[in-house]
Amino acid sequence: MSASQEALPQINSPKHVINAASTQGRFISFEGTEGVGKTTAIEQLCTHLQDNGIEYLCTREPGGSPFAERLREILLDPATNINDDTELLLLFAARCDHIQQVILPALQAGTWVICDRFTDSTIAYQGYGRAHGDEAVRAKIDALIEQFVPQLPELTLWLDLPVLEGMARANKRSAADRFEQQATEFFTWVHKGFDTLATQYPERMQRIDASGTTDEVSTRIWQAVKESFSLG
Ligand code: TMP
C-alpha cells in the first residue's frame, strides 16, 4: 500500500448522531496559504465533532479518492513538468472524482464532510497565483460544481497568517513540494485571492486568525462552527 493510499480518509465511528432528523451532512472546508496549520486545526475540529457525536469524514484536495490521490502525487511532485492549463485540468479531474466518489455519498448519508482545501484554493492558487484570472477559473469551477453538488461548502474557514510566517513554518517541515517551491510573490497573490474571496463571501467564508497557540486557534474554529450550525 502506498503512502497516499494509507492517507485516504476514513469515516469515524460515531457513538451517536447529534441530529437524527438531519439527513444531509454539513460541508466545511479549510483554506489557507502554506504552513498556516490546517492539518492540526482539522484534527482538533474532528475531536470536537466526535465529542459531540457527529459523524464526520475528513478528506482533502487535491486527493481524497483513490484516483484523485494518484493525481495529487503527480501534481505535488517537483519533477512534474506541466503547464498551468494542464495543472488546472488535473485539479478538476481530481475534484470531479472526489466529489462523485467521496463527498456526495457522504453528505447524502448525513455525514459531515471536512475538506482540507476545496474550490477556493483553485481560485486563489490558479486564479491569483498562476494569474489565470480569477473570473475565468471561477466560471470553470461553477460549471463543474453545478453538475455534481448542490452547493459550495456551507462554511469555509480561512486560516490567515502572514505569508512569510507560514512559509517559514512550512520550510521547517519537509522537502518543498511543487507548489511550495514557488516564490514568495506567488503566495502573496494567493493570499490576496483568499482575502478577496473572504470579502466577496462573508457569510460562507470566515477569516480565522491562525496566529497564537494551537489551542487558541482551535477555540476560534470551534466557536465559528458552533455559531454557523447552531450547536450547543
Ligand atoms: P496541502 O495539502 O499541503 O495544502 O498541499 C496541496 C497543494 O495543492 C497546496 O500547495 C495548494 C495546491 N492546490 C492548488 O494549487 N489548487 C487547488 O485547487 C488545490 C485544492 C490545491
Side-chain angles (χ1 to χ4, degrees), residues 29-199:
S29 63
F30 278 75
E31 295 287 1
T33 42
E34 312 301 307
V36 295
K38 284 185 288 99
T39 307
T40 309
I42 289 172
E43 279 168 12
Q44 302 238 346
L45 172 60
C46 289
T47 302
H48 282 298
L49 294 178
Q50 183 135 18
D51 290 346
N52 281 273
I54 295 173
E55 185 173 353
Y56 65 86
L57 171 76
C58 249
T59 187
R60 68 178 180 185
E61 291 215 339
S65 66
F67 176 71
E69 286 290 329
R70 288 168 68 188
L71 293 183
R72 178 188 175 93
E73 274 187 34
I74 295 169
L75 280 158
L76 267 59
D77 185 351
T80 298
N81 184 10
I82 50 176
N83 68 25
D84 293 351
D85 285 340
T86 308
E87 175 180 286
L88 186 62
L89 290 169
L90 287 179
L91 284 161
F92 282 145
R95 178 160 303 135
C96 188
D97 191 67
H98 185 210
I99 290 170
Q100 282 181 317
Q101 304 286 337
V102 176
I103 296 179
L104 268 191
L107 292 175
Q108 283 162 358
T111 301
W112 287 36
V113 173
I114 314 300
C115 195
D116 185 344
R117 300 194 182 280
F118 200 62
T119 51
D120 297 301
S121 271
T122 319
I123 293 167
Y125 279 77
Q126 280 64 50
Y128 281 76
R130 300 276 193 229
H132 278 284
D134 61 313
E135 288 304 326
V137 176
R138 176 181 303 284
K140 289 179 192 168
I141 289 169
D142 285 349
L144 181 75
I145 289 285
E146 266 171 31
Q147 285 178 51
F148 298 111
V149 274
Q151 67 221 356
L152 283 164
E154 289 158 90
L155 176 64
T156 296
L157 299 159
W158 167 38
L159 301 196
D160 185 19
L161 201 64
V163 168
L164 288 178
E165 210 177 307
M167 285 177 81
R169 282 195 203 171
N171 288 340
K172 276 193 210 147
R173 271 193 326 229
S174 55
D177 66 35
R178 202 172 62 84
F179 290 101
E180 288 167 342
Q181 286 183 346
Q182 298 298 313
T184 307
E185 192 193 356
F186 174 86
F187 293 108
T188 304
W189 275 105
V190 172
H191 185 273
K192 186 176 164 54
F194 285 129
D195 198 21
T196 306
L197 284 163
T199 307

